[in-house]
Amino acid sequence: MSFSELGLSEAILRAVSERGYTEPTPIQKQAIPAVLSGGDLLAGAQTGTGKTAGFVLPILHRLSAAGVNAPTGGRAPIRALILIPTRELAAQVEESVREYGKHLKLNSMTMIGGVNINPQIAKLRGRVDILVATPGRLLDHVQQKTVDLSHVEILVLDEADRMLDMGFIRDIKKILLLLPKQRQNLLFSATFSDEIKTLADGLLNKPAMIEVARRNATADKVSHKVYPVDRDKKRPLLAHLIKEFNWHQVLVFTRTKHGANQLAEYLTKGGIPSLAIHGNKSQAARTRALSEFKDGSLQVLVATDIAARGIDIIDLPHVVNFELPNVPEDYVHRIGRTGRAGQTGEAVSLVCVDELKLQADIERLLKRELPEEIVPGFEPDLTIKPEPIQNGRGSAPGGRGQPRGRGAPGSSARRPAAPGGEANGNRAPALHRSGGRHR
Ligand code: AMP
């Protein structure tokens, strides 16, 4: 199936082809006709599936086909509202809106926190057809009466599960009250908790439902590798691997903002140009780091999960888990940035004795064991005892730094239960996996 069969206008097809896409992804094949039909949509899809174009393209089509009816004497209204959990992702989605809509006469705007509100207020005085916003800053504008949402025809909640995780549910409810009752609603979420189902039930009217497979979790395009190592040797091991294999465009995940800063400094001192991005950095600093990373002048970008959410880089060759995430689904989100669009990618994890339970959780989710390799000179010391994992305060808004939803360890006979940030009195024996896989 080609894009031209989906019913999109010529101007949009031209932009898509200029972007280099030849064939719609599975989510696009299903979402585009569903959105074009004007009905509500509930879509199960995560970053990396092409979901952004899945809703942006048909929205552009619908808005441009219907024409703009500026009220006489008044300014043209905001007609589509796209709510996004994080600033980076909002900026990227709006960039997609501009790119796919470059042959159309529609205006868009990013509305995010962390930057001066005044230029946003000035921009809102002009014409904005499509508003891409994070909930907090949107409500700031609502309070200042600088935004009018009373003519919104299409609402998108993107990454709805993340929004709930980040504690945005109240904000979302407030925003919903400001929208016209008659409108099209699109909800995208990678997971479907009871909370998401409740939100969807209240929001959507007879939605079309589509779900696409997690693209990278099972994709053979991504090779996984675990390097068992002592916790205090992780930094030298990472520097060693980057140099040894001459890795470029390496996205490294740490659990905390502080850890991200320290690691970026360490690598930079060792001659590997690195920068950290996380919520404490100014928007300008984050944007600069991202663009240097994308153009290849920055070798390593160190990020926390929240900050890295949605980093949109095609064909990112290496994703490194400097620390494993507390929530196994986050592993899938993290590696979703590699092995895209048919390219091969490598997901590397540096795992110390504290994280064996997290590794077991991930393996259970992926239904496979992650291949391990010990690097000579970095052999783990089997006498080291596991310690509780420090999550760092504020590393994840809404309590996401805390483990949640994890079951009992799958193979506790083989592996000691590593404390994962929970109150943990039962120190596990000093084994780094007794199953003999660590040779
Ligand atoms: P998303 O899931 O929206 O974050 O998109 C994931 C990545 O896939 C982005 O880098 C897009 O630019 C890219 N992409 C989206 N649609 C296509 C397509 N039809 N063909 C190739 N790449 C695509």
Side-chain angles (χ1 to χ4, degrees):
M1 189 191 242
S2 74
F3 274 103
S4 58
E5 293 167 65
L6 292 172
L8 297 164
S9 69
E10 187 277 330
I12 296 174
L13 292 177
R14 195 150 32 105
V16 166
S17 127
E18 285 163 6
R19 179 78 164 87
Y21 303 161
T22 48
E23 208 195 318
T25 64
I27 185 87
Q28 291 163 2
K29 283 180 202 167
Q30 298 178 67
I32 292 171
V35 179
L36 287 178
S37 77
D40 284 2
L41 174 68
L42 177 61
Q46 65 170 106
T47 302
T49 53
K51 70 180 163 69
T52 312
F55 63 80
V56 168
L57 299 176
I59 288 176
L60 289 169
H61 181 100
R62 278 177 61 72
L63 296 186
S64 56
V68 188
N69 298 320
T72 19
R75 79 174 91 110
I78 295 166
R79 300 169 66 202
L81 172 63
I82 304 175
L83 285 179
I84 306 270
T86 67
R87 298 167 188 175
E88 271 78 20
L89 193 59
Q92 284 164 33
V93 168
E94 202 257 333
E95 205 177 298
S96 297
V97 170
R98 264 184 284 135
E99 180 154 9
Y100 302 139
K102 66 182 176 185
H103 302 304
L104 303 172
K105 292 196 184 73
L106 292 169
N107 290 347
S108 58
M109 167 177 172
T110 312
M111 183 186 275
I112 52 179
V115 295
N116 189 334
I117 199 166
N118 292 326
Q120 297 178 352
I121 294 174
K123 189 138 197 215
L124 285 165
R125 291 200 191 104
R127 183 175 139 191
V128 177
D129 301 284
I130 301 172
L131 179 62
V132 185
T134 49
R137 179 52 67 92
L138 178 58
L139 284 176
D140 292 342
H141 280 279
V142 167
Q143 225 167 18
Q144 299 195 26
K145 299 198 176 15
T146 45
V147 69
D148 175 8
L149 301 174
S150 65
H151 289 83
V152 168
E153 298 161 39
I154 307 174
L155 168 74
V156 181
L157 288 188
D158 192 18
E159 313 232 336
D161 49 350
R162 287 275 148 169
M163 291 218 240
L164 298 190
D165 281 351
M166 291 170 73
F168 284 139
I169 185 69
R170 281 229 203 119
D171 289 354
I172 292 170
K173 285 187 175 156
K174 280 189 206 155
I175 292 164
L176 293 179
L177 292 175
L178 303 167
L179 305 178
K181 290 218 164 53
Q182 188 67 31
R183 57 172 201 265
Q184 181 177 21
N185 300 293
L186 316 175
L187 190 151
F188 286 78
S189 186
T191 54
F192 287 98
S193 61
D194 288 346
E195 216 183 349
I196 288 283
K197 286 183 198 136
T198 311
L199 177 68
D201 282 348
L203 180 70
L204 305 173
N205 178 24
K206 297 197 194 98
M209 289 197 247
I210 56 181
E211 179 146 26
V212 296
R214 291 175 173 273
R215 189 145 145 199
N216 293 302
T218 51
D220 299 331
K221 301 284 180 199
V222 180
S223 62
H224 305 253
K225 188 168 288 178
V226 165
Y227 291 103
V229 62
D230 294 340
R231 70 177 85 78
D232 62 353
K233 300 236 180 68
K234 281 190 175 189
R235 291 196 290 189
L237 173 60
L238 180 58
H240 170 84
L241 291 170
I242 291 171
K243 285 185 176 155
E244 172 87 6
F245 297 113
N246 196 20
W247 286 343
H248 282 83
Q249 271 201 332
V250 194
L251 178 61
V252 181
F253 286 93
T254 58
R255 200 174 288 123
T256 65
K257 298 171 191 176
H258 182 60
N261 283 338
Q262 280 189 323
L263 181 59
E265 267 170 40
Y266 176 90
L267 292 173
T268 304
K269 275 190 195 139
I272 301 168
S274 310
L275 280 174
I277 56 164
H278 51 66
N280 287 1
K281 299 260 170 172
S282 72
Q283 189 58 35
R286 293 201 269 177
T287 308
R288 193 174 57 242
L290 266 180
S291 79
E292 285 179 18
F293 186 58
K294 284 186 187 183
D295 73 22
S297 52
L298 179 67
Q299 195 172 358
V300 176
L301 189 65
V302 187
T304 53
D305 283 288
I306 298 276
R309 193 74 195 127
I311 288 178
D312 181 15
I313 297 155
I314 314 171
D315 310 341
L316 198 58
H318 304 285
V319 170
V320 176
N321 298 298
F322 185 75
E323 286 140 344
L324 288 181
N326 287 327
V327 184
E329 282 80 9
D330 280 348
Y331 181 88
V332 178
H333 284 298
R334 288 178 177 189
I335 67 164
R337 279 122 183 147
T338 187
R340 284 185 183 179
Q343 300 296 309
T344 52
E346 194 175 20
V348 168
S349 303
L350 309 189
V351 177
C352 74
V353 68
D354 310 336
E355 300 167 296
L356 295 183
K357 177 170 181 326
L358 301 181
Q359 184 180 340
D361 290 340
I362 291 163
E363 291 177 333
R364 197 168 332 112
L365 179 73
L366 299 183
K367 299 193 173 61
R368 61 196 271 188
E369 289 203 342
L370 302 175
E372 295 182 354
E373 189 178 318
I374 290 176
V375 181
F378 294 91
E379 295 84 356
D381 176 351
L382 298 182
T383 64
I384 293 179
K385 291 190 191 333
E387 285 181 9
I389 290 170
Q390 304 298 323
N391 284 312
R393 259 170 27 103
S395 64
R400 283 187 28 72
Q402 296 304 311
R404 49 150 207 210
R406 284 202 270 110
S411 49
S412 50
R414 188 166 58 92
R415 298 175 191 183
E422 295 137 320
N424 196 311
N426 58 328
R427 285 288 173 91
L431 290 173
H432 196 292
R433 229 187 234 198
S434 50
R437 286 214 283 151
H438 284 190
R439 281 170 298 274

